[in-house]
Amino acid sequence: MKKIQMVDLKGQYAAIKERVNASIQEVIDNTAFINGPEVHAFQKELEDYLGVKHVIPCANGTDALQIAMMGLGLKPGDEVITADFTFAATVEVIALLQLTPVLVDVDPINFNIDIAAVEKAITPNTKAIVPVHLFGLAANMDAIMDLAERHNLYVIEDNAQGIGAAYTSKDGTKKMTGGIGHAGSTSFFPSKNLGCYGDGGAIFTNDDDLAHIIRGIVNHGMYERYHHDVVGVNSRLDSIQAAVLRAKLPNLNSYNIARRTAARKYTQAFSGIEQIITPTGFCNAGNSICDTCDCHVFHQYTLRIINADRDALVKHLQANDIPCGVYYPIPLHAQKAYKDERYNEADFTITNQLVKEVVSLPMHTELDDEQIDFLTKSIIAFVTK
Ligand SMILES: *Cc1c(COP(=O)(O)O)cnc(C)c1O
């Protein structure tokens, strides 16, 4: 059996080596390392893929979130509601811009932001909601957009884990995640579903004015060379990373299908094991479990371990050279940097429970049946013993 990796970037590279090497070599030959033609070409190709009017490439997914918030003109003291159970980047940029983060609980079934909790947290100072399509599953965008419209709020989708997922609305229309809210962001960190070979990110919007503002912000607030109209940042996707992404984008759908196939095999193997809750791909529109639709791109395949010792399982797997991860072990509201007297433990019962139950299994495009069989058997043997 091939050694199991949490993420197998080497195996993925081997399959596209010639195409990637040729695109990188072209950038080096042309020496247009910053803002080269690859960046613009990638931008157009991603706009077409996502069906979104504007893609603005930038340096990483954290910058993308920050720049989206700057572009929307959020001001110190404005409240921004986001999930308690996610990667810290989301809340980090809110705090960095001196906006007020308002963390709310998540849904135990889809791990995404809890709609009732969002509604309860809205005050006259609320300006934006940042749903995260956590682990690759589209959040309930119908309900979020509806709340936002009723309360006049912006929606910024953190799509760092969900690129390539599609969300089907109640009315049957299907849109790619990231292009549904007023703005969206993603990350091209190497291990993300569409990863480059360094750091990278992008902002999405269908709003022409906002796109224009953001294009200036990413480039030192310049709309005309050496005229600095607004306070900006330096956040660029470099040409080599754009070249890698151009070589990989045509494979994104097949990568996501490979992930879903592996996820389905995991789920089949775990069926009937009462100590394990497998992740569900809930299509939020129909509220039924959907096996076939593409609302979940399985950035992570995350189990909940109940009535068994999650921490002991993690130790056991590590001791047997089986990689796994706990995403995330601490709720954001309990992190030192983001603790606040406003928060009440009773409002975070689901996150507080999930951090003790979750474990993410190896998930990438190169998992084979023998590895999945070995992994699932090892886990089942341990939790049922
Ligand atoms: C990875 C990630 C980010 C940050 O992306 P970087 O490119 O690493 O800055 C933000 N939000 C979520 C949910 C992520 O998973």
PDB file of all heavy atoms in Angstrom, residues 240-257:
ATOM      1  N   ILE A 240       4.055  33.501 -11.454  1.00  0.00           N
ATOM      2  CA  ILE A 240       4.355  32.062 -11.390  1.00  0.00           C
ATOM      3  C   ILE A 240       3.184  31.310 -10.761  1.00  0.00           C
ATOM      4  O   ILE A 240       2.764  30.262 -11.244  1.00  0.00           O
ATOM      5  CB  ILE A 240       5.682  31.813 -10.632  1.00  0.00           C
ATOM      6  CG1 ILE A 240       6.843  32.265 -11.533  1.00  0.00           C
ATOM      7  CG2 ILE A 240       5.826  30.348 -10.242  1.00  0.00           C
ATOM      8  CD1 ILE A 240       8.229  32.004 -10.982  1.00  0.00           C
ATOM      9  N   GLN A 241       2.611  31.884  -9.685  1.00  0.00           N
ATOM     10  CA  GLN A 241       1.456  31.219  -9.064  1.00  0.00           C
ATOM     11  C   GLN A 241       0.261  31.204 -10.008  1.00  0.00           C
ATOM     12  O   GLN A 241      -0.474  30.214 -10.079  1.00  0.00           O
ATOM     13  CB  GLN A 241       1.088  31.900  -7.732  1.00  0.00           C
ATOM     14  CG  GLN A 241       2.189  31.868  -6.679  1.00  0.00           C
ATOM     15  CD  GLN A 241       2.775  30.487  -6.472  1.00  0.00           C
ATOM     16  OE1 GLN A 241       2.121  29.462  -6.699  1.00  0.00           O
ATOM     17  NE2 GLN A 241       4.030  30.428  -6.059  1.00  0.00           N
ATOM     18  N   ALA A 242       0.075  32.294 -10.751  1.00  0.00           N
ATOM     19  CA  ALA A 242      -1.028  32.330 -11.717  1.00  0.00           C
ATOM     20  C   ALA A 242      -0.830  31.266 -12.793  1.00  0.00           C
ATOM     21  O   ALA A 242      -1.785  30.614 -13.229  1.00  0.00           O
ATOM     22  CB  ALA A 242      -1.137  33.723 -12.340  1.00  0.00           C
ATOM     23  N   ALA A 243       0.430  31.065 -13.194  1.00  0.00           N
ATOM     24  CA  ALA A 243       0.721  30.047 -14.220  1.00  0.00           C
ATOM     25  C   ALA A 243       0.385  28.652 -13.690  1.00  0.00           C
ATOM     26  O   ALA A 243      -0.207  27.831 -14.401  1.00  0.00           O
ATOM     27  CB  ALA A 243       2.188  30.131 -14.630  1.00  0.00           C
ATOM     28  N   VAL A 244       0.732  28.383 -12.432  1.00  0.00           N
ATOM     29  CA  VAL A 244       0.409  27.084 -11.831  1.00  0.00           C
ATOM     30  C   VAL A 244      -1.111  26.910 -11.782  1.00  0.00           C
ATOM     31  O   VAL A 244      -1.661  25.853 -12.144  1.00  0.00           O
ATOM     32  CB  VAL A 244       1.002  26.983 -10.399  1.00  0.00           C
ATOM     33  CG1 VAL A 244       0.507  25.737  -9.685  1.00  0.00           C
ATOM     34  CG2 VAL A 244       2.528  27.016 -10.443  1.00  0.00           C
ATOM     35  N   LEU A 245      -1.803  27.962 -11.371  1.00  0.00           N
ATOM     36  CA  LEU A 245      -3.262  27.888 -11.248  1.00  0.00           C
ATOM     37  C   LEU A 245      -3.934  27.695 -12.605  1.00  0.00           C
ATOM     38  O   LEU A 245      -4.911  26.966 -12.724  1.00  0.00           O
ATOM     39  CB  LEU A 245      -3.793  29.146 -10.544  1.00  0.00           C
ATOM     40  CG  LEU A 245      -3.432  29.209  -9.055  1.00  0.00           C
ATOM     41  CD1 LEU A 245      -3.630  30.618  -8.500  1.00  0.00           C
ATOM     42  CD2 LEU A 245      -4.268  28.203  -8.250  1.00  0.00           C
ATOM     43  N   ARG A 246      -3.390  28.328 -13.635  1.00  0.00           N
ATOM     44  CA  ARG A 246      -3.942  28.145 -14.989  1.00  0.00           C
ATOM     45  C   ARG A 246      -3.786  26.698 -15.429  1.00  0.00           C
ATOM     46  O   ARG A 246      -4.647  26.151 -16.112  1.00  0.00           O
ATOM     47  CB  ARG A 246      -3.201  29.027 -15.995  1.00  0.00           C
ATOM     48  CG  ARG A 246      -3.575  30.461 -15.934  1.00  0.00           C
ATOM     49  CD  ARG A 246      -3.044  31.171 -17.155  1.00  0.00           C
ATOM     50  NE  ARG A 246      -3.876  30.879 -18.318  1.00  0.00           N
ATOM     51  CZ  ARG A 246      -3.518  31.124 -19.569  1.00  0.00           C
ATOM     52  NH1 ARG A 246      -2.328  31.628 -19.823  1.00  0.00           N
ATOM     53  NH2 ARG A 246      -4.329  30.851 -20.552  1.00  0.00           N
ATOM     54  N   ALA A 247      -2.653  26.099 -15.046  1.00  0.00           N
ATOM     55  CA  ALA A 247      -2.429  24.701 -15.425  1.00  0.00           C
ATOM     56  C   ALA A 247      -3.364  23.770 -14.656  1.00  0.00           C
ATOM     57  O   ALA A 247      -3.749  22.714 -15.147  1.00  0.00           O
ATOM     58  CB  ALA A 247      -0.968  24.323 -15.177  1.00  0.00           C
ATOM     59  N   LYS A 248      -3.760  24.174 -13.431  1.00  0.00           N
ATOM     60  CA  LYS A 248      -4.577  23.287 -12.598  1.00  0.00           C
ATOM     61  C   LYS A 248      -6.084  23.505 -12.713  1.00  0.00           C
ATOM     62  O   LYS A 248      -6.858  22.569 -12.483  1.00  0.00           O
ATOM     63  CB  LYS A 248      -4.152  23.424 -11.124  1.00  0.00           C
ATOM     64  CG  LYS A 248      -2.791  22.806 -10.828  1.00  0.00           C
ATOM     65  CD  LYS A 248      -2.425  22.917  -9.364  1.00  0.00           C
ATOM     66  CE  LYS A 248      -3.217  21.943  -8.509  1.00  0.00           C
ATOM     67  NZ  LYS A 248      -2.782  22.004  -7.084  1.00  0.00           N
ATOM     68  N   LEU A 249      -6.501  24.728 -13.071  1.00  0.00           N
ATOM     69  CA  LEU A 249      -7.939  25.021 -13.097  1.00  0.00           C
ATOM     70  C   LEU A 249      -8.744  24.046 -13.972  1.00  0.00           C
ATOM     71  O   LEU A 249      -9.829  23.626 -13.562  1.00  0.00           O
ATOM     72  CB  LEU A 249      -8.181  26.486 -13.520  1.00  0.00           C
ATOM     73  CG  LEU A 249      -9.639  26.947 -13.565  1.00  0.00           C
ATOM     74  CD1 LEU A 249     -10.322  26.817 -12.206  1.00  0.00           C
ATOM     75  CD2 LEU A 249      -9.737  28.391 -14.067  1.00  0.00           C
ATOM     76  N   PRO A 250      -8.222  23.644 -15.150  1.00  0.00           N
ATOM     77  CA  PRO A 250      -9.008  22.695 -15.962  1.00  0.00           C
ATOM     78  C   PRO A 250      -9.259  21.365 -15.244  1.00  0.00           C
ATOM     79  O   PRO A 250     -10.161  20.622 -15.620  1.00  0.00           O
ATOM     80  CB  PRO A 250      -8.130  22.481 -17.208  1.00  0.00           C
ATOM     81  CG  PRO A 250      -7.235  23.668 -17.265  1.00  0.00           C
ATOM     82  CD  PRO A 250      -7.000  24.079 -15.844  1.00  0.00           C
ATOM     83  N   ASN A 251      -8.456  21.064 -14.223  1.00  0.00           N
ATOM     84  CA  ASN A 251      -8.626  19.808 -13.483  1.00  0.00           C
ATOM     85  C   ASN A 251      -9.497  19.964 -12.240  1.00  0.00           C
ATOM     86  O   ASN A 251      -9.775  18.977 -11.561  1.00  0.00           O
ATOM     87  CB  ASN A 251      -7.267  19.279 -13.014  1.00  0.00           C
ATOM     88  CG  ASN A 251      -6.425  18.776 -14.159  1.00  0.00           C
ATOM     89  OD1 ASN A 251      -6.664  19.142 -15.303  1.00  0.00           O
ATOM     90  ND2 ASN A 251      -5.450  17.943 -13.863  1.00  0.00           N
ATOM     91  N   LEU A 252      -9.914  21.183 -11.902  1.00  0.00           N
ATOM     92  CA  LEU A 252     -10.601  21.381 -10.617  1.00  0.00           C
ATOM     93  C   LEU A 252     -11.844  20.507 -10.491  1.00  0.00           C
ATOM     94  O   LEU A 252     -12.052  19.879  -9.456  1.00  0.00           O
ATOM     95  CB  LEU A 252     -10.942  22.866 -10.402  1.00  0.00           C
ATOM     96  CG  LEU A 252     -11.686  23.189  -9.105  1.00  0.00           C
ATOM     97  CD1 LEU A 252     -10.920  22.716  -7.870  1.00  0.00           C
ATOM     98  CD2 LEU A 252     -11.971  24.690  -8.997  1.00  0.00           C
ATOM     99  N   ASN A 253     -12.658  20.433 -11.545  1.00  0.00           N
ATOM    100  CA  ASN A 253     -13.867  19.610 -11.434  1.00  0.00           C
ATOM    101  C   ASN A 253     -13.518  18.140 -11.207  1.00  0.00           C
ATOM    102  O   ASN A 253     -14.120  17.483 -10.363  1.00  0.00           O
ATOM    103  CB  ASN A 253     -14.749  19.754 -12.681  1.00  0.00           C
ATOM    104  CG  ASN A 253     -15.574  21.040 -12.625  1.00  0.00           C
ATOM    105  OD1 ASN A 253     -15.649  21.695 -11.589  1.00  0.00           O
ATOM    106  ND2 ASN A 253     -16.173  21.389 -13.742  1.00  0.00           N
ATOM    107  N   SER A 254     -12.516  17.646 -11.931  1.00  0.00           N
ATOM    108  CA  SER A 254     -12.183  16.228 -11.723  1.00  0.00           C
ATOM    109  C   SER A 254     -11.534  16.023 -10.350  1.00  0.00           C
ATOM    110  O   SER A 254     -11.753  14.997  -9.707  1.00  0.00           O
ATOM    111  CB  SER A 254     -11.323  15.683 -12.862  1.00  0.00           C
ATOM    112  OG  SER A 254     -10.122  16.390 -12.929  1.00  0.00           O
ATOM    113  N   TYR A 255     -10.803  17.008  -9.866  1.00  0.00           N
ATOM    114  CA  TYR A 255     -10.261  16.910  -8.496  1.00  0.00           C
ATOM    115  C   TYR A 255     -11.408  16.822  -7.480  1.00  0.00           C
ATOM    116  O   TYR A 255     -11.378  16.013  -6.551  1.00  0.00           O
ATOM    117  CB  TYR A 255      -9.413  18.143  -8.153  1.00  0.00           C
ATOM    118  CG  TYR A 255      -8.069  18.225  -8.861  1.00  0.00           C
ATOM    119  CD1 TYR A 255      -7.404  19.437  -8.941  1.00  0.00           C
ATOM    120  CD2 TYR A 255      -7.470  17.106  -9.414  1.00  0.00           C
ATOM    121  CE1 TYR A 255      -6.174  19.543  -9.571  1.00  0.00           C
ATOM    122  CE2 TYR A 255      -6.237  17.199 -10.049  1.00  0.00           C
ATOM    123  CZ  TYR A 255      -5.594  18.424 -10.128  1.00  0.00           C
ATOM    124  OH  TYR A 255      -4.382  18.527 -10.741  1.00  0.00           O
ATOM    125  N   ASN A 256     -12.407  17.678  -7.663  1.00  0.00           N
ATOM    126  CA  ASN A 256     -13.509  17.677  -6.700  1.00  0.00           C
ATOM    127  C   ASN A 256     -14.337  16.395  -6.790  1.00  0.00           C
ATOM    128  O   ASN A 256     -14.817  15.888  -5.773  1.00  0.00           O
ATOM    129  CB  ASN A 256     -14.387  18.919  -6.891  1.00  0.00           C
ATOM    130  CG  ASN A 256     -13.729  20.169  -6.301  1.00  0.00           C
ATOM    131  OD1 ASN A 256     -12.849  20.054  -5.440  1.00  0.00           O
ATOM    132  ND2 ASN A 256     -14.140  21.334  -6.744  1.00  0.00           N
ATOM    133  N   ILE A 257     -14.445  15.847  -8.004  1.00  0.00           N
ATOM    134  CA  ILE A 257     -15.155  14.568  -8.152  1.00  0.00           C
ATOM    135  C   ILE A 257     -14.366  13.458  -7.447  1.00  0.00           C
ATOM    136  O   ILE A 257     -14.936  12.622  -6.751  1.00  0.00           O
ATOM    137  CB  ILE A 257     -15.389  14.235  -9.645  1.00  0.00           C
ATOM    138  CG1 ILE A 257     -16.468  15.186 -10.209  1.00  0.00           C
ATOM    139  CG2 ILE A 257     -15.814  12.771  -9.831  1.00  0.00           C
ATOM    140  CD1 ILE A 257     -16.598  15.165 -11.721  1.00  0.00           C
TER     141      ILE A 257
END
